[in-house]
Amino acid sequence: MDFHITRFQDRDAEETAAVIERTLRVSNAPDYPEEIIREMVELYAPANLAVQAGGEHLYVLRCGDAVAGCGGIAPYMNRETESILVTIFVLPEYQGTGAGRRIMETLENDEYFLRADRVVIHSSITARDFYRKLGYQFSDGVGTPDGEGCIHMEKRR
């Protein structure tokens, strides 16, 4: 597949939000109730994405000219030695094609990742096996979802 990655710009907000919504409604819906899916769609509304991108390095994965996925990384708890992976989504039709791995490679080469001793991710139930394949471990040792359905994972460097 002809994937390429660019840094998110405000003009990407509408299309990226649509990608996130579709991914949530198709890929994540079997693991989460509709109420949580709705909350997540609101969280990643276009205006919110633009604000969020101001505090993190958000990337957009394209296949040709169309947005196929996204992913971000930010300092965690304002610490220079810890970072957090956020907003990682890949359209259902691109899952399993290397798109997610391409996003993760970009994030793992970002300055926020490279300076960190520990990188955390609050994984969805849906994505936990993907992150495990990339070397992320359960922070609690067993991968128990929290009250919001997130699985706390990390990679120490």
Side-chain angles (χ1 to χ4, degrees):
M1 303 234 109
D2 179 29
F3 295 124
H4 61 282
I5 294 184
T6 59
R7 283 289 289 272
F8 176 91
Q9 297 184 27
D10 287 347
R11 69 175 178 256
D12 298 322
E14 291 285 337
E15 190 175 5
T16 304
V19 164
I20 292 170
E21 180 173 0
R22 182 152 182 278
T23 303
L24 286 165
R25 294 199 182 280
V26 174
S27 299
N28 296 89
D31 295 319
Y32 293 94
E34 175 59 27
E35 178 183 326
I36 289 180
I37 298 295
R38 250 191 333 268
E39 289 173 10
M40 296 298 290
V41 168
E42 289 175 25
L43 177 68
Y44 294 112
N48 294 341
L49 276 177
V51 170
Q52 187 179 324
E56 68 188 52
H57 294 168
L58 183 58
Y59 296 90
V60 175
L61 174 88
R62 295 181 184 282
C63 185
D65 291 332
V67 174
C70 60
I73 187 167
Y76 185 57
M77 308 289 282
N78 294 316
R79 297 182 189 131
E80 287 204 16
T81 59
E82 294 184 316
S83 293
I84 184 167
L85 298 174
V86 294
T87 321
I88 301 171
F89 293 93
V90 173
L91 279 172
E93 58 267 30
Y94 293 107
Q95 293 170 12
T97 67
R101 185 173 295 275
R102 181 76 187 272
I103 291 168
M104 292 299 291
E105 287 170 356
T106 299
L107 297 174
E108 290 185 349
N109 283 302
D110 184 275
E111 66 184 280
Y112 288 149
F113 186 93
L114 297 173
R115 74 180 191 188
D117 297 326
R118 181 174 84 115
V119 177
V120 301
I121 184 165
H122 299 159
S123 174
S124 66
I125 295 166
T126 314
R128 83 175 145 220
D129 292 338
F130 171 72
Y131 298 123
R132 294 245 350 195
K133 287 179 190 173
L134 297 176
Y136 290 82
Q137 302 297 315
F138 299 130
S139 299
D140 67 0
V142 293
T144 304
D146 65 15
E148 296 177 345
C150 292
I151 299 170
H152 297 262
M153 300 180 79
E154 63 184 33
K155 183 183 270 190
R156 293 188 181 267
R157 299 176 9 92

